[in-house]
Amino acid sequence: MKRTIVVGAGAIGLACAYALRQRGRDVLVIDKGLPGEGASKGNAGWITPSISAPIPAPGLTWTSLKWMLRSDSPLYIAPTAAPRLARWLWRFWRYCNRQDFLRGLTLMAELNSTTLKAFDALEADGVKFELHRQGLLFVFMGEQYLQNTLHEFDYYQRYGYVVPSPISGRELRQLEPGLSEEIHGGFLVKEEYHIRPETLTTGYVQRLEELGVEVRTGVEVRGAVVSGDRVTGVETSAGNMTADEVLVAAGAWSGQVLEPFGRSLPVQAGKGYSITVNGGAAPQLTRPLYLGEARIGVTPFDGDAVRFAGTMELSGINTYFDARRVRGIRKGIDRYLSAKIDPGIGTEWVGMRPLTPDGLPMLGLVPGFRNVYLATGHAMLGITLAPVTGNVMADAMTGNSAPDSLAPFDPGRFNW
């Protein structure tokens, strides 16, 4: 039985470990932190194949230049970090064109084609997590942004989606009485799911342990035992560990993990922030909301909890908490909800989402190695794509899929 070491115990790493174990691999998961404590912990928890477009988009170059001057904007590039990020930003902006955007949109839609079924299967397989199937409600202050966003759904018809029908502000408030009178209109995407992401990682760990997979925390990768184009082991803070293959799925930290392997990685951190409000202070909502112009996600969970998540901050690989970003979220939600959220209420969080220059994940072999694999770069779709990523990576690693099945996501496409 082949032994696989998975580096990273977030949603992606755990999903890969689970799928590999299902296919007969002897799997060990290691992480320098606790399972699910990175980007998996405080995000909105949306399962949204319909919102899977790559981040670099036509027109984003000029928009981002304007936004980077505002610390509370939806996309913020820290001026002090810009010189360090210059090469990566140059690559990123080169993909902000219609041709690359449409190609990326097609590839992500195809990768997402089995996402909802994969979550259904995960639940049926006995992985315990909080899962809801109420859809996703888009709400807007103005007609123009509503129509622009609605038009994007024309593209998804080829993947089985029905273009949603516009809903008036009055009808929206009947669906969700907690919405403010300022809401102009919106639409409901009925197919989408949402989960509480912390329960997914906890459920994965519990099921993996039942299947005989060890998940070791507090283990930092310090080196690799290399023989030609193969790795035979990993040097860690807990000693040397032998392996027939290694899968690096450490999110934004994946570049640091691969440095001892002699490889750099063109992945940057897109920091996201959230506020989770519990109990009586939380607004009463029945389904997730996308606050259109503010680009903020609002997610209700069991136990009268609501999470507000948003922003994209490019400031390098760090977990520094910028309070201005959270104030931007609080300011953004005020106009959309009838009840205001007290500025002192809620648990605030920051996490790093791994971004590639073209907005597509990196899935496949690490250049120069025959048995070192990479699964990162999922941006804001780490939860959405976790089970699917686990399946496609496990199929590729066990020979159950064609060698070129992941070619569009080849980690070597950036010549790094």
Side-chain angles (χ1 to χ4, degrees):
M1 182 183 297
K2 278 191 174 182
R3 180 172 177 79
T4 306
I5 293 180
V6 176
V7 183
I12 297 295
L14 293 171
C16 291
Y18 178 71
L20 284 163
R21 186 69 189 97
Q22 286 185 312
R23 289 156 179 78
R25 286 290 197 262
D26 174 21
V27 182
L28 169 65
V29 180
I30 61 174
D31 197 299
K32 67 178 182 179
L34 296 174
E37 286 293 307
S40 303
K41 183 177 181 179
N43 64 54
W46 290 0
I47 313 301
T48 53
S50 68
I51 312 178
S52 55
I55 293 174
L60 187 58
T61 302
W62 295 112
T63 301
S64 58
L65 286 174
K66 292 186 292 184
W67 275 342
M68 71 180 291
L69 301 176
R70 294 174 41 208
S71 61
D72 62 348
S73 65
L75 172 64
Y76 176 60
I77 304 172
T80 55
R84 301 195 310 274
L85 301 175
R87 185 183 179 193
W88 188 92
L89 287 171
W90 172 248
R91 286 180 167 183
F92 177 86
W93 280 328
R94 288 183 64 188
Y95 286 100
C96 292
N97 63 78
R98 180 174 175 79
Q99 180 178 346
D100 285 320
F101 177 77
L102 291 178
R103 177 180 178 273
L105 186 62
T106 299
L107 291 170
M108 293 303 288
E110 291 173 349
L111 187 61
N112 258 313
S113 62
T114 59
T115 286
L116 299 182
K117 290 180 180 179
F119 274 94
D120 293 340
L122 201 62
E123 185 181 47
D125 288 344
V127 178
K128 297 177 181 178
F129 58 103
E130 182 183 327
L131 173 64
H132 303 271
R133 298 178 173 88
Q134 282 98 352
L136 174 62
L137 189 63
F138 287 68
V139 298
F140 302 89
M141 292 291 178
E143 179 67 16
Q144 181 177 350
Y145 199 49
L146 188 163
Q147 291 298 330
N148 289 344
T149 306
L150 191 60
H151 179 67
E152 295 175 6
F153 282 81
D154 293 340
Y155 188 86
Y156 288 99
Q157 290 185 80
R158 70 188 70 178
Y159 298 100
Y161 275 81
V162 176
V163 177
S165 300
I167 304 173
S168 69
R170 179 180 60 82
E171 292 172 309
L172 286 172
R173 284 183 285 277
Q174 291 175 350
L175 284 174
E176 291 290 350
L179 292 172
S180 79
E181 293 290 332
E182 292 188 62
I183 299 297
H184 167 76
F187 54 85
L188 174 64
V189 184
K190 298 178 181 179
E191 296 88 350
E192 310 294 49
Y193 296 175
H194 76 276
I195 66 170
R196 185 147 192 170
E198 307 97 303
T199 68
L200 179 65
T201 52
T202 299
Y204 265 133
V205 170
Q206 180 180 345
R207 189 74 182 107
L208 284 168
E209 291 177 345
E210 291 172 355
L211 295 172
V213 173
E214 183 180 7
V215 180
R216 298 189 60 179
T217 61
V219 178
E220 187 172 357
V221 174
R222 293 179 175 174
V225 182
V226 180
S227 177
D229 57 3
R230 303 184 69 86
V231 167
T232 60
V234 178
E235 299 172 356
T236 78
S237 56
N240 289 359
M241 301 176 180
T242 60
D244 296 298
E245 58 191 6
V246 176
L247 170 60
V248 177
W253 298 106
S254 296
Q256 295 187 13
V257 171
L258 281 173
E259 284 180 2
F261 292 70
R263 296 292 182 271
S264 60
L265 190 63
V267 170
Q268 272 300 330
K271 289 167 64 178
Y273 292 77
S274 72
I275 307 158
T276 304
V277 181
N278 296 288
Q284 298 300 304
L285 300 171
T286 60
R287 57 178 57 81
L289 307 175
Y290 179 72
L291 311 184
E293 293 85 351
R295 304 193 181 193
I296 292 172
V298 184
T299 313
F301 299 128
D302 290 344
D304 294 326
V306 175
R307 179 167 295 160
F308 304 90
T311 81
M312 176 66 73
E313 175 189 322
L314 295 172
S315 60
I317 307 292
N318 67 81
T319 54
Y320 171 74
F321 185 90
D322 187 341
R324 297 173 299 176
R325 309 297 291 153
V326 173
R327 288 198 295 269
I329 294 176
R330 292 184 183 275
K331 180 181 177 181
I333 64 179
D334 278 349
R335 294 181 61 196
Y336 290 86
L337 302 179
S338 56
K340 306 307 178 188
I341 307 300
D342 190 307
I345 295 296
T347 301
E348 299 175 342
W349 171 88
V350 62
M352 294 190 297
R353 299 166 293 199
L355 304 181
T356 62
D358 62 1
L360 304 178
M362 304 178 78
L363 309 173
L365 281 166
V366 172
F369 291 102
R370 294 177 59 191
N371 66 336
V372 180
Y373 296 84
L374 181 64
T376 189
H378 293 76
M380 295 179 288
L381 296 172
I383 294 296
T384 293
L385 286 170
V388 166
T389 296
N391 289 332
V392 298
M393 289 301 301
D395 283 344
M397 294 170 69
T398 58
N400 291 326
S401 63
D404 60 350
S405 61
L406 291 178
F409 307 102
D410 180 8
R413 66 186 184 273
F414 298 114
N415 297 318
W416 49 281

